[in-house]
Amino acid sequence: MEHTVSVRGVDVQANGASLRRRDGMILNRISQGIFVVLGLFVLYVLGRALLQNPSVFIQQVMNGLQLGFIYALIALGYTMIYGIVKLINFAHGDVFMVGAFTSFYTIGTLELHRWLTWVAPGMPEGLATVVGTFTVILASMVISAALAVVVERFAYRPLRNKPRIAALITAVGVSFFLEYFGALPFAYTNNYITYPRPFEVAVYSAGKVSPVLMAAMWTIFVVALVIYGIFFVRGKRGDARAKLILRHPLLSFGLQFGGFLAVVLTLAGIRIETGGKVWDLSASNVTLVIMSASILLQVVLQYIVNNTRLGKAMRAAAYDKPAARLMGINVDGVITATFALGGGLAGAGGVLYATAYKQVHHLMGIIPGLKAFVAAVVGGIGSIPGAFVGSLIMGQTEVLAAGFISTPMRDAIAFSLLIIVLLVWPQGIFGEPPAEKV
Amino acid sequence: MRIRTAVVAMVVLALVALSGCGGAGSKAVKIAILAPLSGDVATFGQSTRDGAMLAIEEWNAKGGVDGATIEVVVEDSQCNAEAAVSAANKVIDQDGVKFIIGEVCSSASIPVSEIATSKGVLQISPTSTNPSVTVAEDGTTKSTIFRACFIDPFQGLVGAKFAIETLGAQTAAVFLDQGNDYVRGLAEVFIKEFEAAGGQVVVTESYTGDDQDFSAILTKVKDANPDVLYLPDYYNTVNLIAGQAQEKGITAVLMGGDGWDSADLDVSVVEGGYFTNHFSADDTRAIVQDFVSKYEAKYGARPDALAALAYDAATILLQSMDQANSVDPIKVAETMASGTFPVVSGEITYDASHNPVKSAVMLQVSGGQVIYTDTVAP
């Protein structure tokens, strides 16, 4: 005798072994079909744009890189904090804003970017600017880190053992507080304020790229690549030390920094004219500074997380807080350090963002913060390489959508990416499936 | 009985008092100034009041209009619809005003214009640019409502003309914010007029008000290499776009509208750019310099565009009353609609929709300063 029991949309056929889910199946298929068609259409539009005018297409990719590297600095903070306290820190975008404003004051009022010329007036202008810019970024990182720690101590720690939704709502509250406190007349006011860049903008295009700089970048990249190759082969043969060296931060910095900058500089440096089409790309020093700073900070973060005692404690706390506490790890201290690191990165992101767009505003953190959050989710929240890759994807999606599909639709397209990625990889690209804890 | 006698006596006394009031004002005409004197845009309202008062005092010194001296009623209409409506009702019903100068903001001028139309009162707004101030919903012109400023799209026309004729531009790129009527109005007219004058608009890109990154659309501009990049947005967005254009190495001349007119305009990134405006205190015409020196002598400050437009609004109104030899709003409105008024912001005539046809000033950002370059007639 055959009978069917329907339990919450799942048809359980008593005599058959098969369990089939019927409800919503057709709708799911339709929605997948729509996404596939849309995806193919987007690929067609982009492919056509690439063939029609490759130089504009590649310039857009370079624009996307700049945006992606800034998102990366914010997304790293989101992902680290989520990884350890399982909290989506909505105030993170506002820490980013505070970082931008800090640098606005250190540059505009204190002129900290010129400190080397006060100490040693004979300094070459270029060196003083580089050192000054790094000082400004560092100062913003310190202030933002301090702010993140204060927020954690006063807003999140008291709710640590309460239901997670309480901390989430508190995060939204802190975010609003920072935004609208900033709007007060004695804080930042609610005006759009022009930001003084710590250095003059310079555009590098064909003939203006220093061959020395380009050669230096290629050298760094090739040397790093050769070293990587050597130790990779030795590691394959069973040399344990070689495998460790492969993960050395200097090596990964050399590969990424040298690689990205060499390619960008070379692309900007060549000029080809074919049949009326001119291949003439450009990159500004702002783009180069953003890429270098972002790669450097990301490598430093990777080093801290993978190779230091603090990093080990962070990973342990992320895995299992009570057990980590039993092992003698100061979990509260680790969480504070995580917030400080995340805040510092967001602060650096704020300086770079303000340098690129030359304007600060008390609500400037909302949209970049949201997009970086999406980037972190796309990459797999909790994963550091995931946040980095997700941000680069996010930057590309946005710029290519704006450039070749529709500018007003850019955000809609960028956020649709979130849906598509989550449909395919529910944990994000680098995310790990939830581990079974015993 | 004694109570009734007392009431009758009081009523009689009141009637005598009221008729006395009416009789004493026969040789005076009342004009109301409605302006926001408190709130966010209080400085707009103060400039407007000061500019209008200056013109009215000049006419009073000359003996007034139609043999009557001008009395002024100033009301704070707060740039919002409710306050403006109650201020308008108060001046019309209580003070017996038949002529209104104001409001500053379109959102307040539109409801005032409804009241003024229904009560046969003449209204001239110095600065409200929304088309609905003078045109009713069914498309007919409100017979007694005027303005002293040009409406937004007019700047697009002047910008296109200047780009072609003075800058010799042949190609242009236009950026517009789809969600902002002001920006869209300027951009659409610019595109139409630029192409009508033989130019070619090579890039038209729209964005949304939240956008901060314009690298994608600027890359297209770089590729198309136009002579002019028209950015008819407010200064904050212009700062963002122009800063990134500089970073992309774009050399097109930047142009815009009166949204650029702000102390917060980032002059370092829009260096060499041009924008249209209503008025410049540096305009060399004698009437402008005369106004500027009188304003400075009275208030100790340089007049801004709001003061100039309010001065013009009052001048147009008083000149029309003088020419009509009447203080009847309907007659004055007829004279105003057909007259020609040489005022500070240009020589004004009115089109069928009661919008002024006049010249705009073209300002250039040069050496970190905003300087007057030209007066462009449409």
Side-chain angles (χ1 to χ4, degrees):
Chain A
M1 185 185 150
E2 183 180 292
H3 66 274
T4 306
V5 192
S6 184
V7 185
R8 277 210 264 156
V10 181
D11 289 347
V12 182
Q13 286 181 324
N15 66 335
S18 65
L19 282 171
R20 283 204 295 147
R21 177 181 282 273
R22 279 215 191 110
D23 276 12
M25 182 111 137
I26 296 170
L27 277 179
N28 283 351
R29 281 277 155 77
I30 291 174
S31 77
Q32 280 167 359
I34 290 173
F35 279 117
V36 167
V37 170
L38 277 180
L40 288 176
F41 172 72
V42 167
L43 282 182
Y44 164 72
V45 170
L46 293 183
R48 207 186 50 181
L50 174 62
L51 292 178
Q52 272 176 356
N53 200 339
S55 87
V56 167
F57 189 87
I58 291 171
Q59 182 75 61
Q60 299 285 28
V61 171
M62 281 158 65
N63 295 337
L65 272 184
Q66 175 182 334
L67 204 57
F69 275 108
I70 297 180
Y71 289 156
L73 288 175
I74 316 173
L76 287 171
Y78 265 116
T79 218
M80 277 170 59
I81 291 165
Y82 182 85
I84 291 187
V85 283
K86 300 283 176 283
L87 165 72
I88 295 163
N89 181 13
F90 280 111
H92 199 61
D94 304 296
V95 174
F96 161 90
M97 177 269 291
V98 170
F101 268 97
T102 307
S103 68
F104 169 75
Y105 288 113
T106 50
I107 296 170
T109 314
L110 303 177
E111 300 204 334
L112 197 65
H113 62 299
R114 308 201 41 82
W115 70 272
L116 206 59
T117 51
W118 312 331
V119 180
M123 273 291 157
E125 200 60 26
L127 182 67
T129 309
V130 170
V131 173
T133 305
F134 271 94
T135 318
V136 166
I137 295 179
L138 215 59
S140 285
M141 288 177 72
V142 170
I143 300 283
S144 307
L147 176 69
V149 167
V150 169
V151 167
E152 193 273 332
R153 180 64 190 84
F154 289 103
Y156 304 149
R157 192 178 292 182
L159 299 169
R160 184 78 45 79
N161 299 318
K162 299 285 185 296
R164 226 191 279 165
I165 192 79
L168 191 76
I169 299 303
T170 308
V172 175
V174 170
S175 167
F176 276 122
F177 172 78
L178 290 176
E179 282 158 19
Y180 291 97
F181 182 80
L184 294 177
F186 57 85
Y188 312 138
T189 76
N190 60 356
N191 284 338
Y192 292 88
I193 304 168
T194 300
Y195 179 85
R197 284 183 178 131
F199 50 86
E200 289 295 311
V201 66
V203 183
Y204 302 118
S205 56
K208 286 185 193 150
V209 181
S210 147
V212 181
L213 190 65
M214 208 199 294
M217 290 305 148
W218 278 114
T219 316
I220 293 176
F221 178 58
V222 170
V223 167
L225 199 64
V226 167
I227 296 174
Y228 191 87
I230 292 171
F231 284 101
F232 184 77
V233 173
R234 283 176 61 176
K236 277 274 178 210
R237 288 188 192 140
D239 185 342
R241 263 192 72 228
K243 277 188 178 163
L244 271 181
I245 290 174
L246 276 186
R247 289 171 53 187
H248 197 279
L250 270 181
L251 200 55
S252 71
F253 178 69
L255 275 177
Q256 293 184 35
F257 176 74
F260 273 114
L261 265 71
V263 170
V264 166
L265 283 174
T266 311
L267 285 174
I270 49 180
R271 181 189 167 89
I272 311 166
E273 280 193 57
T274 44
K277 283 262 159 62
V278 187
W279 172 288
D280 185 13
L281 305 184
S282 66
S284 73
N285 54 356
V286 176
T287 311
L288 300 183
V289 167
I290 286 172
M291 290 172 76
S292 338
S294 183
I295 291 170
L296 176 70
L297 291 170
Q298 182 251 140
V299 169
V300 169
L301 182 70
Q302 291 269 28
Y303 174 76
I304 292 175
V305 171
N306 290 331
N307 301 32
T308 62
R309 281 176 67 89
L310 173 65
K312 205 179 257 180
M314 282 164 73
R315 281 177 289 146
Y319 191 75
D320 190 336
K321 266 192 278 302
R325 202 170 271 133
L326 287 175
M327 296 300 123
I329 294 171
N330 177 1
V331 173
D332 279 338
V334 167
I335 291 173
T336 303
T338 310
F339 271 87
L341 278 176
L345 291 174
V351 183
L352 297 177
Y353 194 85
T355 308
Y357 300 118
K358 217 170 172 295
Q359 192 173 74
V360 282
H361 184 231
H362 68 110
L363 298 179
M364 68 183 280
I366 299 177
I367 296 287
L370 212 54
K371 285 178 182 161
F373 170 63
V374 172
V377 173
V378 164
I381 193 145
S383 152
I384 288 175
F388 195 66
V389 171
S391 300
L392 293 186
I393 293 175
M394 191 73 188
Q396 292 303 336
T397 315
E398 228 191 291
V399 169
L400 294 181
F404 300 112
I405 299 170
S406 157
T407 314
M409 291 278 285
R410 64 188 296 168
D411 290 353
I413 293 169
F415 286 108
S416 313
L417 178 76
L418 175 73
I419 302 174
I420 295 172
V421 167
L422 292 183
L423 277 178
V424 184
W425 295 288
Q427 301 298 320
I429 299 170
F430 284 75
E432 287 160 12
E436 201 73 34
K437 280 181 192 168
V438 184
Chain B
M1 276 306 273
R2 273 170 57 195
I3 293 172
R4 189 180 289 170
T5 317
V7 169
V8 170
M10 277 169 75
V11 169
V12 170
L13 276 174
L15 283 174
V16 170
L18 278 175
S19 63
C21 273
S26 63
K27 290 311 276 177
V29 54
K30 282 185 178 172
I31 293 179
I33 300 174
L34 301 188
L37 299 170
S38 61
D40 289 345
V41 291
T43 58
F44 291 1
Q46 285 147 14
S47 290
T48 303
R49 180 194 58 200
D50 291 351
M53 289 299 289
L54 186 63
I56 290 166
E57 281 166 19
E58 277 173 25
W59 279 82
N60 267 342
K62 284 193 285 186
V65 287
D66 191 30
T69 52
I70 305 143
E71 276 180 23
V72 180
V73 183
V74 181
E75 283 293 326
D76 179 8
S77 45
Q78 294 173 16
C79 186
N80 81 47
E82 292 89 53
V85 164
S86 58
N89 281 327
K90 187 236 160 200
V91 295
I92 296 170
D93 299 337
Q94 206 170 314
D95 300 323
V97 165
K98 295 262 181 254
F99 302 94
I100 294 176
I101 298 172
E103 225 263 346
V104 170
C105 308
S106 293
S107 52
S109 287
I110 294 169
V112 171
S113 75
E114 305 292 341
I115 298 172
T117 304
S118 68
K119 294 186 176 168
V121 170
L122 191 150
Q123 179 197 1
I124 178 164
S125 166
T127 52
S128 295
T129 51
N130 192 304
S132 312
V133 174
T134 58
V135 178
E137 265 172 38
D138 59 5
T140 56
T141 303
K142 299 173 186 169
S143 61
T144 58
I145 314 297
F146 294 82
R147 73 177 101 220
C149 55
F150 43 65
I151 57 172
D152 296 336
F154 176 75
Q155 296 187 58
L157 168 74
V158 173
K161 197 174 143 88
F162 182 81
I164 297 255
E165 289 175 6
T166 310
L167 301 179
Q170 276 151 15
T171 52
V174 179
F175 282 5
L176 63 146
D177 178 352
Q178 276 296 354
N180 185 322
D181 288 343
Y182 164 75
V183 178
R184 221 180 45 217
L186 264 70
E188 282 168 359
V189 173
F190 181 90
I191 293 170
K192 201 176 106 215
E193 298 296 335
F194 193 80
E195 292 192 327
Q200 199 190 349
V201 176
V202 287
V203 177
T204 308
E205 286 293 338
S206 51
Y207 51 86
T208 62
D210 288 336
D211 284 354
Q212 289 181 309
D213 178 77
F214 296 93
S215 57
I217 53 180
L218 284 169
T219 297
K220 289 189 186 172
V221 173
K222 176 96 193 292
D223 186 52
N225 195 18
D227 298 326
V228 164
L229 173 55
Y230 193 58
L231 306 172
D233 210 326
Y234 296 106
Y235 65 92
N236 57 325
T237 311
V238 170
N239 287 350
L240 274 175
I241 300 177
Q244 290 170 58
Q246 186 191 41
E247 200 194 311
K248 288 262 164 297
I250 290 170
T251 52
V253 177
L254 304 181
M255 288 184 67
D258 64 342
W260 286 31
D261 185 20
S262 162
D264 287 329
L265 181 72
D266 186 357
V267 287
S268 68
V269 294
V270 294
E271 177 68 29
Y274 294 90
F275 64 97
T276 43
N277 206 345
H278 300 269
F279 158 81
S280 165
D282 297 324
D283 194 332
T284 48
R285 287 181 301 132
I287 187 169
V288 179
Q289 288 312 315
D290 184 43
F291 163 68
V292 171
S293 61
K294 276 190 287 193
Y295 191 91
E296 279 179 338
K298 186 161 163 59
Y299 301 109
R302 299 270 285 171
D304 54 13
L306 289 135
L309 289 169
Y311 181 84
D312 285 357
T315 309
I316 292 166
L317 174 62
L318 296 170
Q319 193 183 323
S320 304
M321 289 160 85
D322 194 45
Q323 280 170 8
N325 262 326
S326 164
V327 290
D328 174 20
I330 309 295
K331 281 187 188 154
V332 176
E334 281 166 6
T335 313
M336 199 183 278
S338 59
T340 304
F341 307 93
V343 288
V344 171
S345 61
E347 192 172 80
I348 292 183
T349 54
Y350 280 99
D351 69 8
S353 306
H354 289 183
N355 294 320
V357 178
K358 62 170 173 177
S359 51
V361 293
M362 188 58 80
L363 305 177
Q364 188 186 16
V365 181
S366 173
Q369 299 274 313
V370 175
I371 55 168
Y372 166 80
T373 43
D374 204 357
T375 300
V376 185

